[in-house]
């Protein structure tokens, strides 16, 4: 099998060495080059034609974000961001994922020196990703105006929306939620993401989306216009209660290799909401969320999945579709309108 060619871009020679060593431990990966800044990286991409690039967020001459934007505009390709565990680093990494980076990983730090153990796996997933060209700000604004007009008469029908996502989910969730009305259905999200990034992601969503978005906390009530994102780490997000639905964070083992798990969230929604819910599974690797979405559908909920052509990685939606959990598959750019129509008192046909 052809090896995956990787270009490592980082201004620290020590960090480049650590990344190269971690990747070279996998027989399916070949580090074909290293660059200490975007100027060198640009030439290396032309000369080496790598399958995947690992990119430092903070670098001299040109920031990682600026370089990523150029890549996604001129030569879209899979990129994994390598970030420091700082507030600024987290914010910029979330922005990078929004621009189109496939995934992110934290740089090793004291007490977590082995943090690159997951890097070879992430590179393999990235090599399979369908990377989309960067959406221009002008196009984003035009779509946002159209969405506001379409949502002007929206009145929620009381159902809860539960969403699961993984690789490629940041970009997908931003596109989806930015086209929701301000009084969108109560929404809960499990997105596979390191704990250090979920708060920054929730803040980013809150700044650019009409609805209010925040990290979930135990006891937080589900009300229209409120979106809760599961915090990364060692707690699962569940929905609890009968008439008075609320979030519950619960310690537990990883499910399908993840905490928070989409399956755990969806199963709790099936129990608490039965038919008074809508489920949506977005881009991501693996099968987390498939059985939970099936439970929701069996309980009477409506269920949607992102289609293959618009997914960065068509893993989780495919697993759900294959077992009959997905009632309707749609491209990403049609999902917001479909969810809004489905959860509105006034149905649009």
């Amino acid at each position: 099998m052809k090896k995956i060619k990787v270009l490592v871009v980082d201004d620290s020679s020590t960090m480049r060495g650590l990344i190269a060593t971690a990747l070279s431990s996998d027989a399916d990966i070949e580090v074909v080059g290293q660059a200490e800044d975007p100027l060198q990286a640009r030439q290396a991409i032309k000369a080496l034609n790598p399958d995947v690039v690992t990119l430092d967020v903070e670098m001299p001459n040109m920031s990682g974000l600026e370089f990523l934007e150029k890549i996604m505009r001129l030569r879209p390709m899979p990129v994994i961001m390598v970030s420091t565990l700082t507030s600024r680093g987290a914010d910029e990494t979330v922005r990078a994922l929004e621009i189109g980076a496939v995934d992110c990983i934290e740089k090793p730090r004291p007490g977590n020196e082995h943090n690159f153990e997951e890097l070879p796996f992430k590179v393999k997933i990235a090599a399979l990703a369908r990377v989309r060209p960067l959406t221009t700000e002008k196009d984003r604004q035009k779509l946002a105006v159209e969405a506001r007009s379409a949502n002007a008469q929206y009145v929620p029908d009381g159902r809860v929306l539960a969403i699961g996502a993984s690789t490629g989910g940041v970009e997908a969730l931003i596109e989806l939620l930015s086209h929701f009305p301000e009084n969108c259905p109560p929404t809960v999200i499990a997105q596979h993401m390191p704990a250090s990034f979920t708060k920054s992601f929730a803040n980013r969503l809150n700044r650019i989306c009409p609805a209010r978005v925040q990290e979930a906390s135990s006891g937080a009530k589900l009300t229209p216009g409120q979106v809760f994102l599961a915090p990364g780490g060692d707690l699962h997000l569940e929905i609890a209660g009968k008439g008075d639905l609320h979030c519950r964070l619960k310690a537990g083992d990883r499910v399908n290799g993840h905490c928070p798990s989409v399956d755990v969230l969806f199963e709790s929604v099936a129990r608490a909401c039965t038919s008074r819910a809508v489920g949506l599974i977005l881009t991501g690797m693996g099968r987390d969320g498939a059985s939970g979405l099936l439970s929701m559908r069996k309980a009477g909920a409506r269920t949607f999945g992102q289609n293959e052509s618009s997914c960065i990685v068509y893993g989780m939606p495919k697993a759900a579709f294959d077992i009959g959990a997905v009632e309707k598959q749609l491209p990403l750019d049609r999902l917001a309108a479909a969810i809004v129509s489905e959860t509105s008192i006034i149905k649009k046909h």
Side-chain angles (χ1 to χ4, degrees), residues 74-128:
L74 302 174
R75 188 174 176 170
M77 63 189 304
V79 175
I80 295 177
M81 304 304 295
V82 183
S83 171
T84 54
L85 185 60
T86 63
S87 177
R88 179 184 171 189
D91 289 345
E92 292 190 341
T93 301
V94 167
R95 174 61 183 146
L97 293 168
E98 178 185 355
I99 292 169
V102 174
D103 211 335
C104 61
I105 193 165
E106 297 172 13
K107 288 186 176 181
R109 62 186 190 278
N112 192 20
E113 291 84 357
H114 304 294
N115 201 43
F116 281 161
E117 290 177 353
E118 294 183 350
L119 188 54
F121 176 73
K122 287 178 179 284
V123 163
K124 289 181 177 181
I125 300 306
L128 300 173

Side-chain angles (χ1 to χ4, degrees), residues 19 24 78 146 200:
I19 294 171
S24 298
E146 291 173 353
S200 289

Side-chain angles (χ1 to χ4, degrees), residues 9-133:
V9 185
D10 197 296
D11 64 323
S12 164
S13 60
T14 300
M15 193 57 61
R16 292 196 303 272
L18 288 172
I19 294 171
T21 298
L23 294 177
S24 298
S25 67
D26 193 303
D28 297 328
I29 298 173
E30 179 184 5
V31 177
V32 294
Q34 300 182 26
E36 66 179 30
D37 63 31
L39 302 181
Q40 287 186 8
R42 183 173 57 188
Q43 298 304 317
I45 289 173
K46 291 178 181 178
L48 302 171
N49 192 29
D51 301 305
V52 179
V53 172
T54 70
L55 181 60
D56 188 11
V57 172
E58 299 177 14
M59 289 182 298
N61 298 325
M62 183 189 300
S63 74
L65 289 182
E66 290 177 285
F67 187 51
L68 179 65
E69 285 192 10
K70 291 182 182 295
I71 291 174
M72 292 304 166
R73 188 171 61 249
L74 302 174
R75 188 174 176 170
M77 63 189 304
V79 175
I80 295 177
M81 304 304 295
V82 183
S83 171
T84 54
L85 185 60
T86 63
S87 177
R88 179 184 171 189
D91 289 345
E92 292 190 341
T93 301
V94 167
R95 174 61 183 146
L97 293 168
E98 178 185 355
I99 292 169
V102 174
D103 211 335
C104 61
I105 193 165
E106 297 172 13
K107 288 186 176 181
R109 62 186 190 278
N112 192 20
E113 291 84 357
H114 304 294
N115 201 43
F116 281 161
E117 290 177 353
E118 294 183 350
L119 188 54
F121 176 73
K122 287 178 179 284
V123 163
K124 289 181 177 181
I125 300 306
L128 300 173
R130 300 175 185 85
V131 180
R132 300 190 301 167

Side-chain angles (χ1 to χ4, degrees), residues 323-340:
I323 64 172
V326 175
E327 185 178 355
K328 194 170 187 178
Q329 278 197 129
L330 291 170
L332 179 60
D333 61 6
R334 290 178 53 196
L335 278 171
I339 296 295
V340 169

